[in-house]
Amino acid sequence: SQTIHQWPATLVQPVGSPLSLECTVEGTSNPNLYWYRQAAGRGLQLLFYSVGIGQISSEVPQNLSASRPQDRQFILSSKKLLLSDSGFYLCAWSGGGGVAKSFGDGTRLSIL
Amino acid sequence: GIQVEQSPPDLILQEGANSTLRCNFSDSVNNLQWFHQNPWGQLINLFYIPSGTKQNGRLSATTVATERYSLLYISSSQTTDSGVYFCAVLNFGNEKLTFGTGTRLTIIP
């Protein structure tokens, strides 16, 4: 069966520090991968999605970037974090057609 | 882009009560999903329902695509049903799910 792993679960970082969040999927090949951010008490905003290795689509201009170095690995990064980058980050995968199969457990990021 | 609105934004019910959550969307869709986010933040896929009616235990969902809305029914609520319920839709020719504003459900023992 397919599983999705996301880490770390929580992260506290100072303003201006770099960021790297990782997401991996097991049990499937060539998944579509997504990064979402959820601000406190609000809905999910799509940040990036990828339909294949090295293929990244960005949805909103921001301080973040994404990379897909391997088929089942999706990384969210920043060179210098801002206070506004705080939030709950969720990774998801789908088999195509936009049907989200499952989400990772999320990373709660706090910027100090 | 497509707009997705959910109502009510908040709902507080006694254990055992029934509830109906609504999702309205502004354009034609070829995918609609309902998710439950538990108090720990985990998002659980409840239904994939671009049209018609589905049931899974105490939960059921109906989507009327021609009228651009979907309903999620929860019967005999339990405290474990508490959390935020999201609907998410996908436009035709698109790979991006757009999430609604969510309904926060609180079930009181």
Side-chain angles (χ1 to χ4, degrees):
Chain A
S1 63
Q2 302 92 354
T3 56
I4 182 168
H5 302 281
Q6 186 182 342
W7 67 92
T10 59
L11 191 58
V12 180
Q13 292 283 101
V15 169
S17 63
L19 173 74
S20 181
L21 303 181
E22 189 163 343
C23 172
T24 59
V25 180
E26 296 177 357
T28 187
S29 59
N30 198 30
N32 290 347
L33 297 171
Y34 305 82
W35 278 111
Y36 287 87
R37 177 169 60 198
Q38 185 177 31
R42 304 184 67 176
L44 277 71
Q45 179 188 37
L46 179 63
L47 301 176
F48 302 95
Y49 72 97
S50 171
V51 299
I53 296 175
Q55 300 178 59
I56 308 295
S57 295
S58 175
E59 289 305 295
V60 293
Q62 60 206 317
N63 186 41
L64 303 167
S65 62
S67 62
R68 185 168 176 174
Q70 301 180 42
D71 181 44
R72 290 168 287 178
Q73 183 185 30
F74 205 23
I75 297 173
L76 183 68
S77 304
S78 174
K79 293 182 179 178
K80 286 187 177 182
L81 286 167
L82 305 172
L83 284 174
S84 56
D85 292 324
S86 292
F88 189 51
Y89 289 82
L90 288 148
C91 177
W93 78 275
S94 82
V99 179
K101 295 296 186 184
S102 64
F103 282 78
D105 287 342
T107 296
R108 206 164 297 278
L109 176 64
S110 300
I111 310 300
L112 303 180
Chain B
I2 191 168
Q3 305 298 313
V4 185
E5 294 189 359
Q6 293 182 241
S7 60
D10 293 280
L11 189 56
I12 301 174
L13 297 172
Q14 205 77 34
E15 198 169 22
N18 301 329
S19 59
T20 301
L21 282 58
R22 187 177 179 102
C23 171
N24 292 333
F25 41 96
S26 62
D27 201 353
S28 300
V29 299
N30 69 338
N31 174 24
L32 187 144
Q33 291 181 256
W34 282 97
F35 295 90
H36 174 218
Q37 188 171 37
N38 64 24
W40 297 271
Q42 295 172 317
L43 266 171
I44 309 299
N45 192 353
L46 298 177
F47 293 104
Y48 165 66
I49 186 165
S51 63
T53 297
K54 290 186 177 179
Q55 180 155 8
N56 184 2
R58 297 181 295 104
L59 273 62
S60 65
T62 295
T63 297
V64 184
T66 53
E67 297 186 22
R68 299 182 184 172
Y69 74 89
S70 183
L71 302 173
L72 177 68
Y73 306 96
I74 304 173
S75 64
S76 304
S77 298
Q78 301 175 358
T79 55
T80 52
D81 295 331
S82 294
V84 183
Y85 289 81
F86 290 102
C87 70
V89 302
L90 186 77
N91 279 136
F92 286 96
N94 207 320
E95 285 290 336
K96 304 171 292 186
L97 276 177
T98 299
F99 278 75
T101 49
T103 292
R104 183 174 300 276
L105 177 64
T106 303
I107 304 299
I108 301 172

